Amino acid sequence: MNFKELGLEPKIIQAIEELGYEEPTPIQSMAIPPILEGRDLVGSAQTGTGKTAAFALPAIHRLGKHGGCRVLALAPTRELAIQIEENFRIYGKFMDLRMALLYGGVKYGKQLEQLGDEPDVIVATPGRLLDHISQGNLSLKNIEILILDEVDRMLDMGFIEDVTKIIQKTPRSRQTLLFSATIPDSVRRLSAWALNDPAEAKIDIKISAADTVSHALYPVPAIQKFDLLIALLEKIEFENLIIFFQTRRGTDKISQWLVEHGRDVRVLHSDLKQRDRVSALEDFKKGSVKILCATDVASRGLDISNVTHVINYDIPQHSEDYIHRIGRTGRARTEGEAFTLCKPEDLPLVQSIEKLLGNPLERKFVDDFSYRDDPASLTATAPVISKKRNRGFGKQVSFGSRKRR
Ligand code: AMP
């Protein structure tokens, strides 16, 4: 099926033809028809599958002519919000769309101007959106299409109460589109509460993890992690590399060490000012710096193409993040390679990743590296742990009309 057969407005087709999209991706073929029919939808697909267009194209089509604040797209991070807004602009370039982009960490001036212009589409992070609402800068009573993107991430980041409040401020008659890379119980509960008989569009996460990325574990004693990183950097021929860390402090510390070792790097994490985050990302995207050191802020949602390599300096604490991180490479059907440093204490986390992938991860050792401990002792298996699904919230969250804290 091509885009014309999907029944999209000719001006939208013109914009996607200019971009050189030849045919819809699988998530687009699955999601666009029910969205055009006006149905709610749960889309389970990760970044890189074309999921932004899967909701943006039919949403723009359904907007028709101008009318204030009728589409709202909520995203967990500013970077993702910026990217969604960019996509709406590009796909809607022949439709004269008015947009507002609302996220925290910056002044209100430009956002107020955009809101004063009766935007057709609002793209926002939850906190800043609620600030604007409480200051009387906008109302959600005209929302016709509500898009919740990267919902698993949004809930992991503790936005459940904000998201619930926002949903409650939109009309019940709205169309709701929920996208999430994974559908844990918390997302399922939110979906059951907020969506009405949704259609489902699912791209199997296992396939995408193995597809074009070769990935392996590099066991190493904790004390030698940095040395192994340096050895890997010397060995691999990367064009653009993202190194992932667990914490902001760790990201700063190791990137400083890398600079001391003569490497030019940029840092991306949520402690940085918004303008520094944007400029780090821009430098990396345009290739003026080859190494980006980041926390999981960069692992989801961001459309960074041509990343050739990913190194997990710290193994991800949540197994889904493994897939998001390695999914930064091998995009658009190019080959990518991912390396995960793993100290013996990380083995329980390795096991939950292997469980999610449905396959054991290959263990590799770097030739000529003098391991302090016997490599065999580094690959010993650990006892199986049970994975707690409702991580991060510390409580069951229920939905409904009851008064919330
Ligand atoms: P996303 O998953 O939305 O982050 O999209 C990943 C990348 O795929 C973006 O760079 C899009 O511009 C691109 N893309 C989306 N849909 C298509 C399509 N049908 N054909 C080719 N590229 C696409």
Side-chain angles (χ1 to χ4, degrees):
M1 196 181 264
N2 61 35
F3 282 109
K4 280 197 189 110
E5 285 164 338
L6 287 173
L8 289 166
E9 154 75 40
K11 285 180 177 165
I12 302 177
I13 306 273
Q14 194 184 343
I16 45 192
E17 276 173 356
E18 267 194 13
L19 288 169
Y21 294 3
E22 284 169 6
E23 52 179 29
T25 63
I27 187 74
Q28 291 162 5
S29 304
M30 278 187 259
I32 294 175
I35 301 177
L36 287 176
E37 277 173 25
R39 288 192 65 184
D40 285 1
L41 179 111
V42 175
S44 104
Q46 61 183 129
T47 300
T49 55
K51 73 176 166 62
T52 317
F55 59 74
L57 300 175
I60 299 170
H61 175 103
R62 283 176 62 74
L63 257 176
K65 47 187 184 313
H66 287 306
C69 304
R70 289 188 296 139
V71 173
L72 169 64
L74 267 191
T77 63
R78 307 161 199 188
E79 284 76 11
L80 181 60
I82 292 171
Q83 200 171 291
I84 295 173
E85 196 258 2
E86 247 170 44
N87 277 271
F88 265 98
R89 266 187 204 285
I90 296 170
Y91 301 139
K93 70 186 267 201
F94 299 113
M95 305 274 288
D96 182 32
L97 272 193
R98 289 188 207 136
M99 308 278 309
L101 173 60
L102 314 176
Y103 53 78
V106 292
K107 295 202 177 108
Y108 283 75
K110 188 170 167 211
Q111 300 182 359
L112 287 173
E113 256 171 50
Q114 291 181 335
L115 286 174
D117 201 23
E118 295 255 304
D120 302 301
V121 178
I122 297 168
V123 182
T125 53
R128 179 57 68 96
L129 180 73
L130 284 171
D131 289 347
H132 277 291
I133 294 173
S134 67
Q135 291 172 23
N137 304 334
L138 91 151
S139 139
L140 302 182
K141 69 178 189 331
N142 293 328
I143 294 295
E144 292 170 11
I145 304 178
L146 172 66
I147 299 156
L148 307 167
D149 196 14
E150 303 269 0
V151 173
D152 46 358
R153 184 62 159 178
M154 200 125 67
L155 300 193
D156 270 2
M157 290 172 72
F159 282 135
I160 183 66
E161 302 220 349
D162 285 356
V163 172
T164 310
K165 261 190 224 155
I166 291 167
I167 297 173
Q168 282 170 333
K169 290 181 193 295
T170 62
R172 276 178 166 270
S173 56
R174 69 178 185 264
Q175 178 179 21
T176 313
L177 314 176
L178 182 156
F179 282 80
S180 193
T182 54
I183 313 281
D185 290 347
S186 52
V187 174
R188 212 175 292 285
R189 284 199 298 276
L190 178 67
S191 155
W193 172 71
L195 277 69
N196 179 18
D197 185 26
E200 284 186 21
K202 188 169 189 294
I203 297 295
D204 195 349
I205 203 164
K206 286 179 191 166
I207 297 165
S208 17
D211 229 8
T212 53
V213 185
S214 62
H215 50 116
L217 280 186
Y218 285 75
V220 62
I223 199 167
Q224 285 189 295
K225 273 173 79 177
F226 185 72
D227 297 338
L228 189 70
L229 174 65
I230 294 293
L232 279 173
L233 291 180
E234 270 157 27
K235 253 190 158 48
I236 57 185
E237 286 173 20
F238 59 90
E239 279 167 39
N240 292 296
L241 161 74
I242 304 184
I243 310 177
F244 282 107
F245 298 90
Q246 199 53 43
T247 64
R248 289 163 283 196
R249 266 188 73 202
T251 316
D252 286 337
K253 185 176 82 182
I254 306 295
S255 46
Q256 185 55 40
W257 289 358
L258 286 171
V259 170
E260 286 161 16
H261 276 70
R263 298 281 176 176
D264 189 15
V265 305
R266 291 284 181 284
V267 177
L268 184 70
H269 61 58
S270 56
D271 262 359
L272 300 175
K273 290 213 177 77
Q274 181 59 16
R275 62 159 196 274
D276 296 332
R277 289 163 68 166
V278 170
S279 88
L281 206 52
E282 274 172 5
D283 285 349
F284 185 67
K285 274 184 173 182
K286 65 178 189 251
S288 58
V289 62
K290 307 266 176 236
I291 304 179
L292 184 70
C293 294
T295 57
D296 282 301
V297 157
S299 78
R300 297 199 190 202
L302 298 185
D303 181 17
I304 309 175
S305 48
N306 65 34
V307 174
T308 55
H309 294 77
V310 162
I311 297 180
N312 291 321
Y313 187 82
D314 298 313
I315 196 160
Q317 296 294 306
H318 304 312
S319 39
E320 291 88 354
D321 283 334
Y322 181 81
I323 298 187
H324 293 298
R325 289 181 181 188
I326 73 163
R328 298 304 81 220
T329 181
R331 304 191 69 186
R333 310 206 190 293
T334 57
E335 298 291 317
E337 202 169 357
F339 307 78
T340 299
L341 307 197
C342 159
K343 52 191 193 317
E345 303 85 296
D346 293 334
L347 282 170
L349 296 169
V350 171
Q351 287 184 327
S352 50
I353 293 168
E354 290 177 327
K355 202 168 147 210
L356 180 72
L357 293 173
N359 283 309
L361 287 164
E362 190 185 351
R363 272 73 168 161
K364 286 191 178 169
F365 292 90
V366 175
D367 294 340
D368 316 326
F369 182 78
S370 20
Y371 289 91
R372 270 173 65 124
D373 300 340
D374 173 12
S377 72
L378 296 169
T379 52
T381 48
V384 177
I385 51 155
S386 74
K387 190 164 170 261
K388 215 171 152 213
R389 297 298 309 173
N390 194 19
R391 57 190 155 72
F393 311 119
K395 62 179 176 190
Q396 281 280 107
V397 182
S398 60
F399 305 97
S401 53
R402 267 173 295 136
K403 202 161 182 283
R404 309 189 68 80
R405 265 189 316 125

